[in-house]
């Protein structure tokens, strides 16, 4: 893990760990390599109407609408707590337009203790309009230009294997240090609203995504997410080329999952 | 607070009928000591492919008839969870979760108003309020007599009990909301504690305010994780600063001040049941 700041190859995924305090109540951050915040937007968002987290076969549909308090509260109350508790903090950011991205990155770039930012470029779970490659490159390039050298730039691209290699190459050329293959696959809530499907249901899709990106770009660190619940599953992803794994939806079932996977990996269980 | 939540394995000690409801006794060890009325328990789905948890309200954790280290639950007839439970089952649980009812600093008169199984958390509260010298009145409702939660276990804590049913088969004809105002006036209650479906809680909050009483409502909504992680239980509220915001029902609730919930937004957009 040359360019990744993580202390161990198991990281809390964006939007699944609260502020960190909720996991700490169960010792759920013990031995974890990093913590990705819920996606922060330029101004606070209250999120989508309920229901927005719904059970699906072997998974979860989520359409939260990115509820978050905005960057100021994160910087004032959440980041210092993570740093004080020895957790490697990563800020997940989401915006729609290039100037919003730039302002958001500027606000958090120099925050004391911040080790990386994760751009939530995933079209479905994020706010970006679908697909314009030049826009992706511009957002990533502008972010890299604003970040101090010690802050890594991760870019989250979703799970759709058909376009991940092209997009990964694009964002790396624009200055990203790693890609995060996570965030689920496009789905629909029963009431017709767009959602993302995450959890064990997408694990095999996620594994394919990791293998394809790793084969095409073997020097690029890949952070993998997708329904991982055990150390054995994490090892499968690491063997497929992932540099680290993120634990997300499994925390909803058991807030100690990431700590347990990290301990089991470390101890060879 | 007597400590935060614990993740543990509960053992089902008893499942029995309580009127039309299912009463469940769980052995939960220290979770019971930490529990305060209004807090809930989150249970993992027995099917390991299903990630989301389910929250259950706690009836009583202490008081007459409750063994130390156990919790009593009350579930609606036909609740799939109650149907699956058998004595001796081991059940992964997390609790106690959420914020409990706030207890008055002074020994004031309180009215506890509950409908059906939603009334469950109020009976444990009755004991706690009586311990603090409060005068406690109960107002219990249900669709019919078999769906009014029995309250004999807390009779020593309670000054009066009023029963209303939708069909008039027990007590008076009506709902807890329809008789709330007059009951507040008759009892002189300064605080109303309520447990009911969301639409009834809204009516109770309005009636309590009109009668000059503070109200606290325990929302019985879905909590997909129960631990504050998933943002799946949004509750629209007005903050102390007068600014509207949306909070997590599991972490900032399930107990809310009646005048702080934006009830119209909650019932129109979902978020409770």
């Amino acid at each position: 893990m040359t360019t990744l700041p993580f202390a161990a190859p198991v990281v809390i995924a964006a939007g699944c760990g609260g502020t960190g305090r909720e996991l700490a109540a169960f010792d759920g951050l013990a031995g974890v390599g990093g913590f990705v915040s819920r996606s922060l937007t330029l101004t606070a968002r209250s999120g989508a109407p309920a229901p927005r987290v719904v059970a699906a076969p072997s998974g979860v549909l989520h359409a939260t609408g990115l509820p978050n308090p905005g960057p100021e509260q994160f910087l004032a109350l959440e980041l210092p707590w993570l740093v004080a508790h020895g957790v490697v903090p990563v800020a997940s950011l989401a915006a729609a337009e290039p100037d919003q991205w730039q302002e958001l990155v500027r606000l958090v770039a120099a925050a004391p203790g911040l080790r990386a930012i994760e751009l939530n470029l995933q079209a479905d779970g994020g706010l970006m309009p679908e697909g314009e490659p030049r826009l992706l490159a511009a957002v990533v390039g502008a972010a890299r230009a604003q970040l101090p050298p010690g802050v890594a730039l991760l870019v989250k691209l979703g799970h759709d294997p058909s376009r991940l290699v092209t997009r990964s190459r694009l964002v790396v050329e624009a200055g990203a240090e790693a890609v995060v293959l996570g965030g689920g696959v496009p789905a629909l809530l029963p009431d017709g609203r767009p959602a993302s499907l995450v959890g064990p249901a997408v694990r095999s899709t996620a594994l394919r995504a990791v293998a394809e990106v790793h084969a095409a770009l073997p020097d690029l660190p890949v952070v993998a997410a997708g329904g991982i619940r055990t150390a054995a599953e994490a090892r499968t992803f690491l063997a497929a080329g992932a540099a680290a794994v993120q634990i997300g939806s499994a925390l909803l079932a058991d807030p100690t999952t990431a700590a347990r996977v990290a301990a089991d990996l470390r101890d060879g269980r | 607070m007597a400590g935060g939540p614990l993740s543990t394995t509960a053992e089902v000690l008893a499942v029995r009928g309580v009127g039309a409801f299912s009463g469940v006794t769980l052995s939960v060890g220290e979770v019971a000591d930490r529990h305060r009325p209004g807090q809930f328990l989150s249970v993992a789905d027995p099917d390991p492919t299903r990630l989301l948890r389910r929250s259950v309200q706690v009836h009583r954790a202490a008081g007459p008839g409750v063994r130390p280290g156990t919790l009593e639950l009350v579930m609606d007839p036909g609740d799939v969870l109650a149907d699956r439970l058998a004595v001796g089952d081991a059940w992964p649980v997390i609790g106690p979760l959420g914020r409990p009812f706030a207890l008055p600093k002074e020994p004031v008169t309180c009215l506890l108003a509950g409908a059906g199984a939603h009334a469950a958390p109020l009976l444990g509260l009755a004991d706690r309020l009586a311990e603090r010298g409060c005068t406690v009145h109960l107002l219990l409702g249900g669709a019919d007599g078999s769906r009014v939660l029995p309250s004999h276990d807390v009779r020593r804590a309670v000054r009066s009990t009023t029963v209303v049913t939708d069909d008039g088969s027990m007590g008076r004809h009506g709902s807890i909301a329809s008789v709330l105002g007059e009951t507040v006036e008759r009892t002189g209650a300064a605080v109303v504690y309520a447990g009911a479906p969301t639409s009834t809680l809204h009516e109770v909050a309005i009636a309590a305010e009109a009668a000059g009483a503070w109200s606290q409502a325990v929302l019985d909504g879905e909590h997909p994780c129960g631990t504050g992680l998933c943002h799946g239980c949004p509750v629209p509220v007005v903050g102390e600063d007068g600014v509207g915001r949306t909070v997590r029902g599991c972490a900032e609730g399930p107990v809310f001040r009646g005048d702080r919930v934006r009830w119209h937004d909650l019932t129109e957009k979902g978020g409770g049941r």
Side-chain angles (χ1 to χ4, degrees):
Chain A
M1 286 193 288
T2 48
T3 54
L4 294 178
F6 304 132
V10 180
V11 175
I12 306 294
C16 296
T19 62
R21 291 173 172 85
E22 295 87 346
L23 289 176
F26 303 97
D27 231 1
L29 294 172
V32 163
F35 178 93
V36 187
S37 74
R38 57 211 186 289
S39 287
L40 304 167
T41 51
L42 205 47
T43 52
R45 289 166 65 95
S46 58
R52 57 195 195 183
V53 178
V54 175
S58 295
V60 175
L61 293 168
H62 74 91
T64 59
L66 303 182
N68 78 94
E72 288 82 6
Q73 182 175 318
F74 172 75
L75 295 175
L77 301 176
E78 299 174 19
L79 178 62
W81 185 92
L82 293 165
V83 172
H85 286 76
V87 182
V88 173
V90 180
S92 170
L93 307 179
E97 305 293 333
D99 56 334
Q100 293 172 354
W101 278 110
Q102 203 156 351
E103 175 65 5
L104 199 49
V105 174
R106 188 187 65 75
L107 282 172
V108 303
L114 189 70
R115 301 292 299 282
I117 63 172
E118 181 181 290
L119 304 181
N120 182 1
L121 291 191
Q122 186 221 357
D124 214 55
L127 302 172
M128 290 281 278
E130 186 64 34
E132 171 61 48
R134 273 182 307 184
L135 182 60
L136 290 188
V139 165
V140 174
R144 184 64 271 174
Q146 291 192 88
L147 286 179
V151 179
L153 179 59
L154 281 59
V155 176
K156 188 171 187 176
L157 292 174
H159 270 139
D160 180 354
S162 68
R163 57 187 189 185
L164 278 176
V165 170
T166 316
R167 289 176 145 217
S168 296
R169 194 170 277 132
L170 188 81
V171 299
V172 170
E173 285 167 2
E177 269 110 16
V179 293
V180 180
L181 306 183
V185 299
L188 206 67
L189 289 177
D191 64 15
R193 288 178 291 154
S196 291
L197 172 64
V198 298
V202 306
R203 195 186 302 135
S204 305
T205 304
L207 190 61
R208 167 90 175 257
V210 171
E212 293 203 356
V213 172
H214 182 65
L217 302 163
D219 296 330
L220 172 67
V222 171
V223 180
I228 297 167
R229 300 183 78 171
T230 67
E233 291 161 3
R235 278 191 204 98
T236 311
F237 278 84
L238 298 173
V245 298
Q246 291 187 347
I247 308 291
S249 56
L251 297 168
L252 309 186
D254 177 359
T256 67
T257 305
R260 178 169 44 74
V261 170
D264 287 353
L265 277 184
R266 190 185 58 229
D267 300 341
R269 282 196 292 265
Chain B
M1 294 283 286
L6 299 171
S7 180
T8 187
T9 302
E11 185 192 346
V12 180
L13 296 182
V15 183
R16 66 197 177 284
V18 178
F21 308 109
S22 298
V24 178
T25 305
L26 293 181
S27 171
V28 292
E30 201 181 334
V31 173
D33 302 331
R34 296 187 179 201
H35 179 83
R36 296 292 173 268
Q39 292 183 302
F40 66 94
L41 203 60
S42 180
V43 303
D45 198 296
D47 176 350
T49 69
R50 296 183 69 85
L51 293 179
L52 297 184
R53 305 178 70 90
R54 153 93 194 261
S55 63
V56 289
Q57 292 191 325
V58 173
H59 181 204
R60 297 171 70 220
V66 181
R67 267 171 48 191
T70 69
L71 292 178
E72 301 283 335
L73 314 178
V74 175
M75 294 184 185
D76 267 323
D79 189 313
V80 289
L81 210 50
D83 290 346
R84 283 194 199 152
L85 290 176
V87 172
D89 282 357
W91 214 24
V93 301
I94 296 177
L97 290 163
R99 293 188 179 168
F101 288 111
L103 302 177
K105 293 186 176 64
E106 306 291 326
V108 298
T109 299
C110 302
L111 174 63
L112 279 46
H118 300 278
L122 300 173
L123 298 193
L125 176 66
D127 286 326
R128 302 293 294 230
L129 291 170
E131 285 165 19
R132 297 170 78 93
C134 294
T135 302
V136 178
H137 298 273
L138 268 184
L139 169 58
L140 296 172
D144 58 48
S146 72
R147 292 169 194 240
V148 173
L149 196 64
S151 60
H152 44 78
D153 283 337
V154 297
R155 61 187 178 276
R156 286 194 185 84
V158 170
R159 177 73 56 88
S160 80
T161 300
T162 306
V163 172
V164 289
T165 48
D166 295 348
D167 66 354
S169 60
M170 184 193 281
R172 287 174 57 189
H173 204 283
S175 75
I176 62 165
S178 68
V179 302
L180 192 100
E182 62 182 82
T183 313
V184 168
E185 282 169 24
R186 176 171 55 77
T187 58
V191 185
V192 172
Y193 293 93
T198 304
S199 57
T200 307
L201 288 177
H202 183 190
E203 296 171 42
V204 166
I206 291 170
E209 191 163 348
W214 293 101
S215 72
Q216 292 182 39
V218 57
L219 294 182
D220 189 13
E222 298 284 350
H223 302 123
C225 74
T227 49
L229 299 174
C230 81
H231 295 273
C233 54
V235 177
V237 299
V238 178
E240 296 279 346
D241 52 8
V243 177
R245 51 176 66 89
T246 301
V247 301
R248 297 165 297 177
C250 65
E252 275 85 1
V255 175
F256 290 92
R257 252 174 62 177
D259 60 344
R260 290 280 180 227
V261 177
R262 286 149 48 206
W263 294 102
H264 282 294
D265 291 340
L266 181 61
T267 47
E268 278 167 25
K269 295 179 184 169
R273 61 174 183 212

mmCIF file of all heavy atoms in Angstrom, chain B residues 160-178:
data_model
loop_
_atom_site.group_PDB
_atom_site.id
_atom_site.type_symbol
_atom_site.label_atom_id
_atom_site.label_comp_id
_atom_site.label_asym_id
_atom_site.label_seq_id
_atom_site.Cartn_x
_atom_site.Cartn_y
_atom_site.Cartn_z
ATOM 1 N N SER B 160 -55.019 5.991 38.497
ATOM 2 C CA SER B 160 -56.262 5.651 37.797
ATOM 3 C C SER B 160 -55.948 5.086 36.424
ATOM 4 O O SER B 160 -54.893 5.387 35.856
ATOM 5 C CB SER B 160 -57.159 6.898 37.642
ATOM 6 O OG SER B 160 -56.711 7.686 36.556
ATOM 7 N N THR B 161 -56.839 4.246 35.925
ATOM 8 C CA THR B 161 -56.675 3.698 34.580
ATOM 9 C C THR B 161 -57.968 3.929 33.797
ATOM 10 O O THR B 161 -59.053 3.587 34.272
ATOM 11 C CB THR B 161 -56.370 2.186 34.634
ATOM 12 O OG1 THR B 161 -55.164 1.985 35.373
ATOM 13 C CG2 THR B 161 -56.181 1.622 33.227
ATOM 14 N N THR B 162 -57.840 4.528 32.630
ATOM 15 C CA THR B 162 -58.981 4.736 31.737
ATOM 16 C C THR B 162 -58.768 3.871 30.506
ATOM 17 O O THR B 162 -57.668 3.848 29.957
ATOM 18 C CB THR B 162 -59.072 6.219 31.311
ATOM 19 O OG1 THR B 162 -59.087 7.032 32.486
ATOM 20 C CG2 THR B 162 -60.305 6.473 30.467
ATOM 21 N N VAL B 163 -59.805 3.143 30.112
ATOM 22 C CA VAL B 163 -59.697 2.278 28.934
ATOM 23 C C VAL B 163 -60.686 2.743 27.878
ATOM 24 O O VAL B 163 -61.850 3.028 28.184
ATOM 25 C CB VAL B 163 -59.951 0.802 29.315
ATOM 26 C CG1 VAL B 163 -60.041 -0.070 28.066
ATOM 27 C CG2 VAL B 163 -58.847 0.296 30.245
ATOM 28 N N VAL B 164 -60.208 2.832 26.649
ATOM 29 C CA VAL B 164 -61.088 3.148 25.511
ATOM 30 C C VAL B 164 -60.843 2.127 24.405
ATOM 31 O O VAL B 164 -59.716 1.664 24.221
ATOM 32 C CB VAL B 164 -60.834 4.571 24.944
ATOM 33 C CG1 VAL B 164 -61.332 5.637 25.909
ATOM 34 C CG2 VAL B 164 -59.360 4.779 24.624
ATOM 35 N N THR B 165 -61.905 1.756 23.698
ATOM 36 C CA THR B 165 -61.744 0.845 22.555
ATOM 37 C C THR B 165 -62.515 1.391 21.362
ATOM 38 O O THR B 165 -63.529 2.069 21.526
ATOM 39 C CB THR B 165 -62.254 -0.584 22.885
ATOM 40 O OG1 THR B 165 -63.534 -0.486 23.486
ATOM 41 C CG2 THR B 165 -61.309 -1.310 23.811
ATOM 42 N N ASP B 166 -61.979 1.038 20.180
ATOM 43 C CA ASP B 166 -62.630 1.509 18.955
ATOM 44 C C ASP B 166 -64.061 0.987 18.857
ATOM 45 O O ASP B 166 -64.948 1.681 18.353
ATOM 46 C CB ASP B 166 -61.852 1.039 17.707
ATOM 47 C CG ASP B 166 -60.472 1.649 17.627
ATOM 48 O OD1 ASP B 166 -60.190 2.609 18.397
ATOM 49 O OD2 ASP B 166 -59.649 1.180 16.811
ATOM 50 N N ASP B 167 -64.280 -0.252 19.331
ATOM 51 C CA ASP B 167 -65.613 -0.858 19.180
ATOM 52 C C ASP B 167 -66.436 -0.802 20.462
ATOM 53 O O ASP B 167 -67.546 -1.336 20.511
ATOM 54 C CB ASP B 167 -65.474 -2.300 18.692
ATOM 55 C CG ASP B 167 -64.808 -3.217 19.721
ATOM 56 O OD1 ASP B 167 -64.356 -2.699 20.778
ATOM 57 O OD2 ASP B 167 -64.733 -4.436 19.472
ATOM 58 N N GLY B 168 -65.876 -0.192 21.505
ATOM 59 C CA GLY B 168 -66.610 -0.071 22.752
ATOM 60 C C GLY B 168 -66.731 -1.358 23.540
ATOM 61 O O GLY B 168 -67.465 -1.428 24.518
ATOM 62 N N SER B 169 -65.985 -2.425 23.149
ATOM 63 C CA SER B 169 -66.115 -3.720 23.825
ATOM 64 C C SER B 169 -65.472 -3.724 25.209
ATOM 65 O O SER B 169 -65.743 -4.604 26.023
ATOM 66 C CB SER B 169 -65.510 -4.834 22.957
ATOM 67 O OG SER B 169 -64.139 -4.582 22.724
ATOM 68 N N MET B 170 -64.604 -2.771 25.489
ATOM 69 C CA MET B 170 -64.051 -2.623 26.842
ATOM 70 C C MET B 170 -63.918 -1.135 27.115
ATOM 71 O O MET B 170 -63.508 -0.362 26.242
ATOM 72 C CB MET B 170 -62.680 -3.305 26.952
ATOM 73 C CG MET B 170 -62.086 -3.259 28.371
ATOM 74 S SD MET B 170 -60.341 -3.733 28.419
ATOM 75 C CE MET B 170 -60.466 -5.498 28.354
ATOM 76 N N GLY B 171 -64.299 -0.728 28.324
ATOM 77 C CA GLY B 171 -64.197 0.685 28.668
ATOM 78 C C GLY B 171 -65.101 1.542 27.806
ATOM 79 O O GLY B 171 -66.166 1.116 27.349
ATOM 80 N N ARG B 172 -64.637 2.753 27.553
ATOM 81 C CA ARG B 172 -65.455 3.671 26.769
ATOM 82 C C ARG B 172 -65.202 3.497 25.285
ATOM 83 O O ARG B 172 -64.181 2.971 24.861
ATOM 84 C CB ARG B 172 -65.134 5.109 27.177
ATOM 85 C CG ARG B 172 -65.667 5.492 28.531
ATOM 86 C CD ARG B 172 -65.185 6.865 28.929
ATOM 87 N NE ARG B 172 -65.550 7.880 27.938
ATOM 88 C CZ ARG B 172 -65.086 9.135 27.972
ATOM 89 N NH1 ARG B 172 -64.254 9.507 28.939
ATOM 90 N NH2 ARG B 172 -65.454 10.008 27.048
ATOM 91 N N HIS B 173 -66.119 3.992 24.523
ATOM 92 C CA HIS B 173 -66.005 4.017 23.068
ATOM 93 C C HIS B 173 -65.108 5.186 22.693
ATOM 94 O O HIS B 173 -65.310 6.292 23.158
ATOM 95 C CB HIS B 173 -67.414 4.208 22.480
ATOM 96 C CG HIS B 173 -67.566 3.702 21.098
ATOM 97 N ND1 HIS B 173 -67.094 4.384 20.011
ATOM 98 C CD2 HIS B 173 -68.132 2.561 20.616
ATOM 99 C CE1 HIS B 173 -67.367 3.695 18.914
ATOM 100 N NE2 HIS B 173 -67.995 2.571 19.258
ATOM 101 N N GLY B 174 -64.084 4.934 21.868
ATOM 102 C CA GLY B 174 -63.240 6.051 21.429
ATOM 103 C C GLY B 174 -61.788 5.641 21.271
ATOM 104 O O GLY B 174 -61.438 4.455 21.340
ATOM 105 N N SER B 175 -60.969 6.636 21.051
ATOM 106 C CA SER B 175 -59.529 6.398 20.932
ATOM 107 C C SER B 175 -58.804 7.233 21.976
ATOM 108 O O SER B 175 -59.399 8.158 22.546
ATOM 109 C CB SER B 175 -59.040 6.806 19.537
ATOM 110 O OG SER B 175 -58.982 8.220 19.440
ATOM 111 N N ILE B 176 -57.532 6.912 22.219
ATOM 112 C CA ILE B 176 -56.809 7.670 23.249
ATOM 113 C C ILE B 176 -56.743 9.149 22.871
ATOM 114 O O ILE B 176 -56.757 10.006 23.741
ATOM 115 C CB ILE B 176 -55.391 7.093 23.507
ATOM 116 C CG1 ILE B 176 -54.513 7.153 22.262
ATOM 117 C CG2 ILE B 176 -55.475 5.683 24.070
ATOM 118 C CD1 ILE B 176 -53.030 6.941 22.566
ATOM 119 N N ALA B 177 -56.707 9.440 21.559
ATOM 120 C CA ALA B 177 -56.620 10.845 21.151
ATOM 121 C C ALA B 177 -57.946 11.573 21.412
ATOM 122 O O ALA B 177 -57.956 12.726 21.836
ATOM 123 C CB ALA B 177 -56.253 10.943 19.679
ATOM 124 N N SER B 178 -59.051 10.850 21.200
ATOM 125 C CA SER B 178 -60.346 11.531 21.312
ATOM 126 C C SER B 178 -60.678 11.895 22.758
ATOM 127 O O SER B 178 -61.451 12.816 22.992
ATOM 128 C CB SER B 178 -61.456 10.672 20.690
ATOM 129 O OG SER B 178 -61.680 9.498 21.447
#
